[in-house]
Amino acid sequence: GIFFKEPTKEMLKTFEVVGLKTDASLEELAIEFTRLFIGPKRHHPPFESMYRTEGKTGFWGDATVEVKHMLDALGLNMKKDSCNIPDHISTELEVMQKLIDAEHQAIINEDITTANQSKKLQKKVFEEHIIKWIPNYCSKVQNSAELKFYKDAMAFTSEFILSEKEEYT
């Protein structure tokens, strides 16, 4: 979604459900998206390895490799339109969604072992990846955003993740 490509009319309708509305045009949103996430100048690349401080940082840093190994170990196939760099914010959030969905399905199937395994994996992904960088990242983007839509989207994402901290830590 919002971190991977510029908003479309369909995406904006989905965002309105959670209260993210805009009076900006699609063109204005596309320009802001490019400025914030792609560059070329002072932008905020949405990759964990760019914001972690330990280990090798930068594109394809340690965090990228960690997430790649995790995806392989979990046997997760990401959406075809996902970023091909594993530690992209959209990919990490999609991993969490897949694990939550797996837990819910296991509960429906009364498979407590699988539900518990999925919950443990969610905790691992949250503690070792998501909480380590996404709230800080969203704050940086929010401070750079000019359009209210992106300011609100970053605040919403950060607040949601911080509200989940109690659940996973």
Side-chain angles (χ1 to χ4, degrees):
I2 196 165
F3 298 97
F4 186 62
K5 61 184 176 183
E6 61 272 358
T8 62
K9 283 183 185 178
E10 294 75 25
M11 287 170 65
L12 292 176
K13 286 179 188 170
T14 303
F15 296 141
E16 283 182 6
V17 172
V18 294
L20 288 175
K21 298 180 181 180
T22 185
D23 57 1
S25 70
L26 287 174
E27 182 181 1
E28 290 170 317
L29 290 168
I31 291 168
E32 178 87 323
F33 174 86
T34 301
R35 186 182 66 77
L36 289 172
F37 303 115
I38 298 174
K41 294 188 180 173
R42 292 174 44 180
H43 62 293
H44 304 283
F47 303 99
E48 180 180 356
S49 58
M50 300 295 290
Y51 298 91
R52 293 269 298 271
T53 54
E54 69 273 5
K56 181 183 172 215
T57 58
F59 285 114
W60 283 96
D62 288 350
T64 314
V65 175
E66 289 169 18
V67 175
K68 171 86 171 91
H69 289 315
M70 176 182 65
L71 292 173
D72 292 344
L74 294 172
L76 289 178
N77 295 318
M78 306 318 289
K79 293 178 184 168
K80 285 189 170 67
D81 62 353
S82 291
C83 180
N84 61 2
I85 300 178
D87 66 334
H88 190 280
I89 188 171
S90 295
T91 302
E92 291 191 11
L93 294 174
E94 186 180 344
V95 167
M96 279 299 284
Q97 185 60 54
K98 284 179 180 273
L99 292 171
I100 291 166
D101 291 347
E103 178 192 11
H104 290 162
Q105 190 58 53
I107 290 169
I108 290 168
N109 296 339
E110 299 180 3
D111 181 352
I112 302 307
T113 302
T114 301
N116 288 339
Q117 286 173 334
S118 181
K119 190 70 173 180
K120 283 181 187 170
L121 289 169
Q122 291 168 46
K123 181 175 170 55
K124 179 178 175 64
V125 172
F126 189 86
E127 287 181 340
E128 294 181 10
H129 298 282
I130 289 173
I131 197 64
K132 284 189 173 182
W133 75 284
I134 293 179
N136 181 46
Y137 173 77
C138 287
S139 177
K140 289 177 185 293
V141 176
Q142 185 179 3
N143 289 336
S144 296
E146 294 174 2
L147 295 179
K148 184 179 184 307
F149 175 78
Y150 279 103
K151 287 184 181 293
D152 291 349
M154 295 307 107
F156 175 83
T157 303
S158 181
E159 287 166 16
F160 176 76
I161 287 169
L162 291 171
S163 74
E164 293 292 295
K165 190 174 182 180
E166 196 172 303
E167 171 83 12
Y168 292 112
T169 58

